[in-house]
Amino acid sequence: KGNTMFIKDGKRFNIYQAQEFDGTRYAMFTDAALREKLGITEIPDPTPPEDFSDDFYYRNEQDTAPYVVFTRKSDEQINAVLAKRYEQRLDNHLDSVAQVNRYNDRFTFALRAGYTGPYQAEGIAFAQWMDACNVQAYTLLQSVLAGTVPAPTLDEFVAELPDFVMP
């Protein structure tokens, strides 16, 4: 995909597809002079909406004008994408904190809480902190999805979470 498209007789035209004109078969139409001779014009691709992303819009290409139509996805679809992004960022944050404290991930760190031994206090502290992060994150996420608060960036989302303190 480039930044332009080609039009012939009001329809989109593929310059890389072999076609015949006036008894002559052409393998492709990459030569600008040939395109001009055959009435193939080049136009810029339509500008997508400012907030365009494949997660938020459908991009539908068609042979006739307007050639490309951008349709915003439903609120439910967009909310599902946003929720997944925030949840993934939260999980990554919890895992990274566990790894900084020499555990493989949030599961192995929190698991220590259930076993008497030298690492139990660490596990309890982490599990309690993880619960606090989850409560705060999911409360914020519900407010964002309900539209009652503006959506923070993923970094802002994590920055608002409490810090973990190793006992």
Side-chain angles (χ1 to χ4, degrees):
K1 300 206 183 242
N3 297 325
T4 62
M5 65 176 68
F6 298 89
I7 308 299
K8 172 138 177 74
D9 300 327
K11 293 186 177 180
R12 286 178 51 157
F13 186 87
N14 183 348
I15 65 168
Y16 301 106
Q17 179 181 349
Q19 294 186 45
E20 187 174 310
F21 287 97
D22 299 326
T24 303
R25 182 138 182 93
Y26 299 94
M28 59 177 68
F29 303 85
T30 55
D31 178 57
L34 175 62
R35 289 196 306 265
E36 184 177 346
K37 174 183 163 191
L38 297 174
I40 301 167
T41 57
E42 184 174 5
I43 65 170
D45 275 350
T47 303
E50 190 172 307
D51 64 340
F52 177 80
S53 139
D54 287 337
D55 291 331
F56 300 147
Y57 284 87
Y58 294 107
R59 184 180 193 272
N60 183 27
E61 297 184 7
Q62 50 193 37
D63 288 335
T64 57
Y67 308 113
V68 177
V69 177
F70 299 97
T71 307
R72 190 162 176 82
K73 293 182 178 180
S74 72
D75 289 344
E76 292 80 19
Q77 291 169 308
I78 291 171
N79 283 348
V81 168
L82 289 175
K84 186 162 183 75
R85 285 182 183 173
Y86 285 113
E87 290 167 356
Q88 184 64 53
R89 185 64 174 92
L90 173 62
D91 289 347
N92 290 345
H93 176 64
L94 298 174
D95 283 341
S96 69
V97 169
Q99 290 162 1
V100 164
N101 289 283
R102 69 186 192 292
Y103 290 90
N104 290 337
D105 55 33
R106 63 192 182 278
F107 303 112
T108 56
F109 200 167
L111 178 72
R112 303 309 326 147
Y115 295 95
T116 304
Y119 305 108
Q120 186 176 32
E122 291 180 3
I124 290 171
F126 183 81
Q128 290 172 338
W129 170 79
M130 185 169 65
D131 280 350
C133 288
N134 279 312
V135 168
Q136 184 173 329
Y138 283 99
T139 301
L140 175 59
L141 178 58
Q142 290 307 312
S143 297
V144 168
L145 297 181
T148 58
V149 298
T153 67
L154 295 176
D155 287 339
E156 290 168 343
F157 176 69
V158 167
E160 293 179 23
L161 298 174
D163 291 330
F164 175 68
V165 178
M166 182 69 98

